[in-house]
Amino acid sequence: MSAAPEPRLEQQPYRWPVPPEGGWTADDLDRIPGLPPHTELIDGSLVFMSPQTAFHGRAMRLFENALLDQAPADLDVLREMTIKLDEKNRPEPDVLVFPVGANTGPRQTWFRPEDIVLAVDVVSDDSVQRDREVKPRKYAAAGVRHFWRVEADEEGSRSSTSTNSTPP
């Protein structure tokens, strides 16, 4: 062990991914090296998530656990998996409910919209417009049957849930 710097451990400058002409595709999301966790694709643009608040983390845990406790045996619940809505959109809801048969294995990184029974998004300060306006519209257009949006009050001590349902 030495105090001398080791070149292989020195921090390399980060190179932001440069979008191709026409924007990124849903399949690109799995191939772009070095993306931060929970990166979404909205309209061909990469959307990076800000750090989560305590309310956000607790709300996700509450919904995941409650839904797991109540779901019938043919449904499963996961946190933070993307839905490949179309070629240019792959959002990541906070909690998903889907048929067990939609799970393709341990390397799966996304679900098809028709397999989603419920998508839950907990609104963050930086995602208000996306979670209130953009995602519900895109989920409904792609065939996601049910969407819950969870928001904290001003003090962050209570939440309200809005629903969006489309026929299967």
Side-chain angles (χ1 to χ4, degrees):
M1 179 171 214
S2 163
E6 290 191 44
R8 67 181 179 85
L9 298 178
E10 288 182 21
Q11 184 70 17
Q12 297 296 317
Y14 184 75
R15 298 190 66 211
W16 292 99
V18 178
E21 188 173 326
W24 299 105
T25 68
D27 292 333
D28 289 335
L29 205 53
D30 291 326
R31 295 190 290 255
I32 303 169
L35 286 180
H38 312 297
T39 300
E40 296 181 297
L41 183 72
I42 305 292
D43 294 328
S45 296
L46 299 175
V47 178
F48 304 127
M49 301 294 108
S50 64
Q52 293 178 355
T53 62
F55 173 83
H56 194 274
R58 287 182 178 121
M60 285 193 310
R61 183 178 61 208
L62 173 97
F63 279 96
E64 180 184 30
N65 290 338
L67 290 166
L68 275 168
D69 287 345
Q70 299 298 315
D74 63 329
L75 294 179
D76 200 359
V77 179
L78 277 178
R79 287 173 46 165
E80 304 167 314
M81 286 282 288
T82 61
I83 306 171
K84 188 176 181 179
L85 300 179
D86 59 36
E87 189 65 18
K88 296 288 186 179
N89 290 282
R90 208 169 126 189
E92 183 180 290
D94 292 309
V95 180
L96 293 168
V97 178
F98 57 92
V100 171
N103 187 341
T104 62
R107 294 196 170 273
Q108 181 175 0
T109 59
W110 55 269
F111 287 97
R112 301 176 317 162
E114 58 268 25
D115 290 330
I116 302 304
V117 175
L118 171 66
V120 180
D121 269 315
V122 181
V123 177
S124 299
D125 290 342
D126 72 332
S127 70
V128 172
Q129 183 179 10
R130 282 191 313 275
D131 290 344
R132 286 184 183 167
E133 299 172 23
V134 176
K135 286 184 174 183
R137 183 174 30 85
K138 289 186 177 294
Y139 290 150
V144 173
R145 291 172 270 187
H146 302 283
F147 169 67
W148 293 350
R149 183 182 70 241
V150 181
E151 297 191 55
D153 64 8
E154 290 299 316
E155 293 82 35
S157 59
R158 294 193 173 156
S159 67
S160 63
T161 305
S162 300
T163 62
N164 178 33
S165 298
T166 58

